[in-house]
Amino acid sequence: MKKLLILLILIIFSKTLWSQTPYFQKYSLLKKNEAVQVYRMFQDHAGFMWYGTNRGLFKFDGLRFLHYTIADSLPDDNVTALAEDSLGRLWMGHRNGKISFFANNSIVQFKSEEGNSNSEISDLLFDKKGHLWFSTRGDGLYYYVKNRLYRLDEEDNLPDLFVYDLMEDNNGSVWAGTDGGVVRCTLKDTSAQIEVFNSDNGLPDNIIKKLALDDKNSIWMATEDNGILEFNPLTKKWISKIKYESHYGTITDFIITKEEVWASTSQLGLLVFDRKNEQTKIYTPRTTPALTSIMSILNDTEGNIWIGTKTGVTRCNGDHIEFIIDLNGSQNSNVLAMTFDQTNALWFSTSDGLFKRTVAEGNATIKNQLVGTKFQQYTIISLYTDPYGYVWAGLFGEGLLRINPQTNKITYLTKELRNGNVLNITGRGNIVWLATLGGGVKITIQGEKLDVKNYTHEDGLISDYIYQVFIDSKDRVWFATDGKGVDMLDTQGFHHFEKDFATKVVYGFVEDSKSAIWANVQGEGLYKFDATNFVPVSETKLRDNSISAFTSTAAGNIIVMNELGIDFINVELNKVTPLTNEVNMTTRKGNLNSIARDRYGRIYFGTDAGVVSCSGEIKNASPKPFIDKLKILNHESLPVNNLTLAYDQNNVTISYHGFWYQNPEELNYKYTLINYDQEWISTGDRSVTYSSLPPGDYTFHVMVSASDDFDNALETTYHFVIKPPFWRTNSFYAGTLMLIVFVGYSYLKFRERKLIRDKRILEEKVVERTREIQMKTEEINAQAEEIRGINENLEMLVQERTRELEKKNKALEESAFIIAHELRAPVASILGLINLISKTELDNKEKEIVNHMSDSAEKLNSIVRTITKAIERGDSFTKSD
């Protein structure tokens, strides 16, 4: 209760001024905010923005500008026309009549043998067949076919030489807006057939400044003095589409989207025409100085609207998000509650009172509805419009008002309510529900009679402090309570869901396209009812869980306002798309359950700084990744796909970025290099370097997202190959193998020839040797016979000689034996006698003789022993043989 009272006190006191406009972001093309006149704008196939100006050509990627001038080979710094050919080259038309284009990142001047125009180029166009068309201011219309330039003028039935704009229809015809009407050109071979539509055909203004084709093949054209017309080529009827006032000035440019037409005028600023409800909004320089002197408009692939003026470039995110700050009937910008009545007028309340805002012809009128009544000083904190057209106003502590907008009659309820703090009002049919600090209140409308029934804790409610009552598609009534969770009332009675929530403070509910009930829980974000319980919504991650207000769109998706801005939830994809800096949301804080929807489905949030409105559904555009350049060994180059690099060109830096002009600084990236990185890598950087890559086949993938969710992010790839050194290539291997095979084959053939030659030589030698051997053999055989005879004679002689020797040896042996044995005894006797003699007394002479005899006898005995041993050895040798 105290939290709620403090919140209400804080949101009552805050003052500012009001106007109505989207958020326009201005860009400085040159330093020091120098003024630059932007004649033409163009977005190429990659996503780059190009601006043709009086100060040269500018290229923009969302973060950086590149500037090209005469110093970069432009033939003229006044770039008045831009186009892109089928090869992706940008072409420029100039005020001096020259045409140039980019080729290999250099600017080249277009020249033809037939010459060029000297008048200002007003537009460039490449038709479906690739033919170049260009219009001039004062020199007619040109086209370039089969390397030849052709000119169309009055002799070719061109109504005027001043041609402002070119456009191609779905049938391939080229339309031109001139000072003499609109022209349809049909090209057959090299000849152009011209059909003119002017005042003779019912055209209310012959001066056609701008052409555009809509999704139904109708041609829209901006005239000098009669606004924008729609022309049906089949019926040849003209329809004035936008109610145009003379004080708007001349339309300088316009674009057509599926939902709207955006037109710039020389005096007023921007006109936005809703093609569905045919309502017109006006954005003026009074509220947005950047819209002064608009020269060109462009819508890009993201849905952004680009405005080129005499001072520079401005961008807005269309009218998807708008800020209503021109409610000058109230000096307090803090919008507490809102509702739309049956005339689509906005009723809103601030601490200054209750106001009604009506819009007619692009102008807003605001009136205080309670001035002069006793309720003038009451603070209104909730609003609701019932099916009968009555506006219900819930008061802060003072009860309830029911107002008839037609008669201004007020019905006041206070005593009928248990509590006079009416925080929220809702209803269906003749039933109205109030959320109060004293419970829920059900009011049944019976004509002018109101039947009031209070529901409190005594009637089954879990709490009397109710922030919101919500009726779902099954007629179940849901109660968001302060501190007791959720109550639900159906035909069975009350059902309590208190334990499902941690904080148990619930602010409100919505129902999505799948009939699921979502709950806004204090500080915890969103919960979803799964038929039995409320569970946190974990698969849908919001940037901030402090939600002030949320609702569902006509398609059943969910829009959430939180502390960081607005989040869009695609229920089918479980995808959150945030909006913050790109629409200047960060300075506005939403008020609790201050929300309304107009008859066209546009949603309005009350904030402390006015009203924020959004179109309901977000565009399906996503950030687009682009690989910008390569750096190979510190040498920069364009990223030519399927590039082949040498083995020593393996230090590669890949630079990339995402095209997301709404908020390029906050983009997130993920990348991987197939055949090198193991997984995807998240980063905020816009380049990656791979050093010492081994030879191989590589594909670089990069994704970009405006959030942390990459589930539906766009992806681009770049393929390159690093060749191995020649000695590691298949051709080298094949060549080497072939060489080996050739050498082996050659060696084998050489060896074969050599073997054959050697064999022949050997055979000759064998034959010769065989003859020699045969001759030798014959000689040897003859010699052998001779030797055999000699041997036989020798053997006979040897045998005979042997026998003689044996006889002699035997005789010798017998002699030696006799000598050895016969001598031994006498020698022994002599030795014995000498021994006896030596024992007798002998004189010296006798002793000398005896000694001499003894020595001689010993010698003889020794000789005898030697002879005996020799005989014994001879016997032993003979036996061993």
Side-chain angles (χ1 to χ4, degrees), residues 30 37-38 42 57 116 259 295 403 546 593 652 690 768:
L30 294 175
Q37 296 183 29
V38 181
F42 184 79
L57 178 69
N116 293 323
E259 301 86 9
M295 305 183 74
I403 306 170
S546 297
N593 293 335
V652 179
Y690 291 97
E768 181 66 25

Side-chain angles (χ1 to χ4, degrees), residues 67 127 379 381 688 719 803 808:
H67 188 198
D127 64 22
T379 299
I381 57 177
V688 58
H719 175 260
R803 286 194 295 270
K808 289 180 179 180

Side-chain angles (χ1 to χ4, degrees), residues 16 59 77 104 173 190 194 266 292 349 352 377 380 470 490 523 573 591-592 613 667 717 728 744 763 789 806 876:
T16 188
K59 181 182 180 182
D77 276 344
N104 297 323
S173 296
T190 60
I194 293 179
S266 59
T292 303
S349 65
D352 293 335
Q377 301 301 320
I380 296 172
F470 178 79
D490 61 12
L573 301 177
N591 286 325
L592 185 62
S613 72
L667 291 178
T717 62
R728 291 178 57 187
E763 287 176 348
E806 287 177 352
S876 174

